[in-house]
Amino acid sequence: MTISSPSVLIIGGGPIGLTLAGDLGWRGISSTLVERGDGSVAQPKMDMIGIRSMEFCRRWGIVDWVESAGYNRDYPQDCAWVTDLNGYEFGREPFPAPRQEKPPVHSPQKRERCPQNFFDPVLQRFARRSPCVSLEFNTELLDFEDKGDGVVARVRDVRSGETRTLRADYLVGCDGGASMVRQQLGIEMVGDAVLTYTTNIIFRCENLEQLHDKKPGYRFIFIGPEGTWATLVAINGRDQWRFSLIGDADKRTLTEAETRAAIIRAVGKPFEFEILSTLPWVRRQLVARQYRKGRAFIAGDAAHLTSPTGGFGMNTGLLDAVNLSWKVAAVIDGWGGEHLLDSYEVEQLPVAVRNVGEATENLRRMLSPRILQPDARMFDGSDPAAEAARREYGQRYTEMMSREWHSIGVHLGYVYEGSPVVVPDGTPPPPLQTSSYTPTTRPGSRAPHAWIGETKSTLDLFGKGFVLLRFGAKPPAVDLLQEEAARVRLPLQVVDLAGEAVEKLYERRLVLVRPDGQVAWRGDALPADVATLVDTVRGAIAGERPPVSFDAVIAEA
C-alpha cells in the first residue's frame, strides 16, 4: 500500500473532472484524477460547447484545440423536423456552419460543435499541460473517509488489482449520475428519476446526404402519426451519426433488428450502415440537495442530471468546476476564508435547478406532438388538404422550438443571487431571460465583454486573481483596497479603462471582478470599511444574507 498526497483528489475522468484538474493545474494546485475507464469515449453524451464554456477555453488558451478537434466545421448546423429524410419537412431553423458562425456582440467567443469524443481528448491535453496534474485511468475508487483535516481514499488498479491509499486536502466527485461519491456522502437527489427511456445508436454511413432530398442539417427530429419518436444528430459532420430512439416511462430492451428498422424508417429507404455502439439510457430531471459535506464535493452529473434538450448539462458542469476550482485554490493558497467553500453550493445549485428545468421544458416542447396528436392528413400524400395541414403544423412547431435553439440568456445570464461572497448593492435582480441577454455589472453577474483592443476583451483580464476595474479620466483612489488586499495576500490587479462605451456598459466607476469572471462588488467610490469588503469577497466572514434553503430554491424555480 502506497500513499500519495495531492491537494485535490478528483473522482471521474469525464469533461467535468478533466476541467477541474486542468483549471486547478492552471492555478498551480496539485491534483490526482482517478477514472475507472481508459479515457476513451464510445458514446459521446454531449456535442455542444456553450458560449460561456468557450469563454473559459479562451481563458486557458485552448480555443484552437477545440476548433481543430475533429468536427467538420464546414458542415451546416440546421435543425429540421420531418416525417423522414425522404418524406415531408415541416420546418427548419437554419444555422451556419461553425466556421461561418460569428460571435454575438456579447462575447468574444461563440458556441462550438465538439462532441465528447473530441472534447475529452482536448481536456486531457489541457490537464496534462500542467505538471501539477496526475491523470490515472483504469483506476477505481473503493471508499473514502473525511478525517477532518483531509480525506483518505482507497483506490484500485482495475487491471492489476493493486490497492493503494491517497490522501488529499479535498475530494471532488465528478463521477456521473450514479456517483459513488454522492452515494457514500448520503446526498439525496430530488426531481423526476425517469422522463423517458431512450436508446442511442452511433452508426457510420458515408454520404448519408446523398440518400435523401433534404438540405444537410446537424439535427433532424422525426414526427410520425404517434408523435415525436426519434432524432438524428451529426456526430462528426462527416460519416458518423447518433440516432436516438425516444421511448417513454416504460423500460424495454430493443433488439438490433428493431434499431436497424427504426433507422431505416427515419431515412425513408433501405441503405447500408454500420452500427458502432448502442447505449440505452434514461432522461432524468434531478438535482442534489447538497453539493458539499465536509471536505468532499460533487460536481457535474453527480450533482445534477438533465435531459440533453438544450445542451445545458455538460456546460452547467463546467461552470461547477470553474466555480469550485478558484475557491479551493484560494483556501489552499491561504487567502481564502472558511465561508468561501460554502458559497459553491449556494451559487451553483440554483443555476442547476434553473437549467435542469429549462431542459425538461425543451423536452416537453419537442415531444408535444405526442400530446397534441398530429393531423393524420399530414402523412397522407393523396389528401389534397395535406400540404396545408403540414404548413400550419410546421409553423406552430417551429415557433415553439425556437426557445431551445436560442438560449444565450441561460448560458450568460445566470446570477449568483444571495451568495455570501458577493456584496449586494440594493438593486433589484434582473428578469430571467432565455433567448436574449442583457449585460450588467450587478454583483453576482458575469462581468460583461467589451473590446479594449483590436483582439483583446475585458474577459481576457480575468482568471487568476481579483481584478478591480476603474473607469473614467480621473478614477477614484483605491490605495486602501490595495493595502488591505496585500495584507491578507488576496491577489488583486487594478486596471484602468476609459471610453464612453465600456464606461456605460460597466455602469459604475469601480467594479471588482472575481477569478471566475463574476462581479463581486461595484460602486462609484470605495466603501468606508474596506476590510469588510475584502473579507467578504474572500469568504473570511459571512455575507449579510442568510443562506437560502434547497426547498426555497425549488419553490422559486
Side-chain angles (χ1 to χ4, degrees):
M1 181 182 293
T2 58
I3 298 179
S4 59
S5 301
S7 295
V8 182
L9 176 59
I10 301 167
I11 311 301
I16 311 311
L18 292 168
T19 294
L20 180 58
D23 194 71
L24 286 169
W26 186 69
R27 300 179 187 282
I29 302 298
S30 66
S31 69
T32 294
L33 179 151
V34 300
E35 161 59 41
R36 193 181 193 285
D38 63 4
S40 62
V41 179
Q43 274 272 352
K45 297 178 181 178
M46 51 72 58
D47 52 56
M48 192 271 286
I49 307 177
I51 186 171
R52 185 58 171 153
S53 298
M54 285 305 299
E55 289 177 352
F56 296 143
C57 291
R58 179 188 180 94
R59 175 185 299 176
W60 302 321
I62 64 172
V63 168
D64 289 346
W65 299 359
V66 173
E67 292 177 349
S68 62
Y71 191 88
N72 180 4
R73 302 185 73 247
D74 294 311
Y75 195 79
Q77 296 297 288
D78 292 11
C79 298
W81 16 106
V82 300
T83 56
D84 60 70
L85 294 183
N86 281 287
Y88 302 108
E89 182 171 305
F90 298 116
R92 176 179 291 257
E93 189 81 24
F95 291 101
R99 196 184 307 278
Q100 278 71 52
E101 188 174 12
K102 304 299 182 185
V105 296
H106 303 305
S107 178
Q109 297 299 143
K110 59 180 178 65
R111 65 180 185 172
E112 189 63 50
R113 193 67 64 192
C114 188
Q116 187 180 355
N117 55 319
F118 295 137
F119 193 41
D120 276 17
V122 167
L123 292 175
Q124 288 182 31
R125 180 182 174 190
F126 168 49
R128 288 193 170 102
R129 190 173 68 182
S130 169
C132 300
V133 176
S134 173
L135 303 183
E136 300 188 10
F137 294 98
N138 299 297
T139 304
E140 65 178 347
L141 174 71
L142 297 178
D143 52 47
F144 66 91
E145 183 179 358
D146 188 337
K147 297 289 190 178
D149 60 347
V151 179
V152 175
R154 290 192 311 128
V155 301
R156 179 172 59 201
D157 186 307
V158 298
R159 296 163 300 184
S160 67
E162 178 188 359
T163 299
R164 58 197 173 90
T165 299
L166 298 173
R167 183 182 180 91
D169 293 321
Y170 299 99
L171 179 145
V172 185
C174 305
D175 48 342
S179 171
M180 179 181 175
V181 173
R182 187 190 67 239
Q183 292 179 39
Q184 184 169 330
L185 292 174
I187 296 176
E188 178 190 6
M189 295 285 272
V190 177
D192 194 333
V194 178
L195 296 172
T196 70
Y197 285 96
T198 297
T199 301
N200 283 0
I201 303 100
I202 305 292
F203 70 90
R204 179 186 287 122
C205 175
E206 296 279 356
N207 303 315
L208 179 65
E209 296 84 359
Q210 296 180 13
L211 298 177
H212 62 82
D213 59 358
K214 303 294 179 289
K215 293 180 183 178
Y218 148 74
R219 182 181 183 188
F220 291 95
I221 297 174
F222 299 100
I223 300 171
E226 75 272 47
T228 305
W229 63 277
T231 64
L232 182 68
V233 167
I235 283 297
N236 62 4
R238 294 181 178 86
D239 64 344
Q240 292 187 28
W241 305 84
R242 182 179 67 225
F243 180 75
S244 297
L245 192 57
I246 306 169
D248 51 28
D250 297 324
K251 184 177 181 180
R252 60 183 296 256
T253 301
L254 301 175
T255 65
E256 181 175 337
E258 288 175 310
T259 58
R260 283 187 172 275
I263 293 171
I264 290 172
R265 176 191 172 188
V267 174
K269 63 190 296 186
F271 70 106
E272 296 296 322
F273 58 94
E274 176 189 4
I275 292 181
L276 301 179
S277 64
T278 301
L279 177 69
W281 60 284
V282 187
R283 295 176 195 261
R284 306 185 191 275
Q285 180 185 5
L286 295 170
V287 179
R289 275 192 174 274
Q290 296 172 264
Y291 279 22
R292 176 194 186 190
K293 278 193 175 181
R295 288 179 170 265
F297 303 82
I298 54 175
D301 283 358
H304 42 80
L305 287 166
T306 179
S307 169
T309 37
F312 305 135
M314 189 277 297
N315 293 290
T316 305
L318 248 66
L319 203 61
D320 294 341
V322 171
N323 185 295
L324 181 59
S325 176
W326 78 266
K327 294 172 179 177
V328 169
V331 173
I332 291 172
D333 284 341
W335 58 267
E338 60 179 307
H339 301 285
L340 192 58
L341 297 180
D342 289 335
S343 70
Y344 165 62
E345 176 183 312
V346 176
E347 293 181 348
Q348 287 303 117
L349 197 152
V351 174
V353 169
R354 180 196 178 188
N355 292 0
V356 168
E358 182 69 23
T360 298
E361 286 303 300
N362 286 338
L363 175 66
R364 182 188 62 79
R365 284 184 284 270
M366 187 183 79
L367 298 182
S368 62
R370 294 186 176 187
I371 303 170
L372 304 172
Q373 287 295 314
D375 189 328
R377 295 175 300 174
M378 298 192 311
F379 307 98
D380 186 353
S382 64
D383 191 324
E387 182 57 33
R390 286 192 289 269
R391 189 182 307 112
E392 178 186 358
Y393 173 81
Q395 289 173 348
R396 287 190 289 111
Y397 194 78
T398 301
E399 181 179 352
M400 178 183 63
M401 291 295 291
S402 177
R403 181 176 174 123
E404 177 175 346
W405 315 135
H406 303 280
S407 56
I408 189 171
V410 176
H411 289 277
L412 298 185
Y414 60 93
V415 181
Y416 293 145
E417 195 71 19
S419 170
V421 295
V422 169
V423 181
D425 66 354
T427 56
L432 293 177
Q433 296 174 294
T434 299
S435 300
S436 60
Y437 165 69
T438 303
T440 178
T441 57
R442 182 178 179 273
S445 303
R446 162 189 171 272
H449 153 71
W451 291 113
I452 54 176
E454 187 174 344
T455 60
K456 187 173 183 178
S457 165
T458 49
L459 272 58
D460 298 331
L461 300 171
F462 314 137
K464 288 292 179 71
F466 278 77
V467 177
L468 179 64
L469 299 177
R470 301 198 302 175
F471 297 93
K474 295 182 179 180
V478 295
D479 302 57
L480 291 177
L481 181 62
Q482 290 176 292
E483 293 170 4
E484 184 60 28
R487 186 184 70 80
V488 298
R489 297 191 298 113
L490 180 141
L492 175 67
Q493 179 185 11
V494 177
V495 178
D496 292 342
L497 297 176
E500 182 179 352
V502 71
E503 290 174 27
K504 181 178 180 181
L505 182 67
Y506 269 76
E507 304 174 294
R508 300 292 189 274
R509 301 195 71 194
L510 297 174
V511 178
L512 182 64
V513 182
R514 311 184 326 184
D516 58 351
Q518 302 298 117
V519 176
W521 169 86
R522 68 177 181 177
D524 288 322
L526 290 180
D529 189 350
V530 174
T532 296
L533 168 60
V534 171
D535 282 346
T536 298
V537 300
R538 71 185 183 94
I541 60 176
E544 300 175 8
R545 301 180 181 181
V548 179
S549 70
F550 177 87
D551 291 334
V553 171
I554 294 294
E556 185 177 345

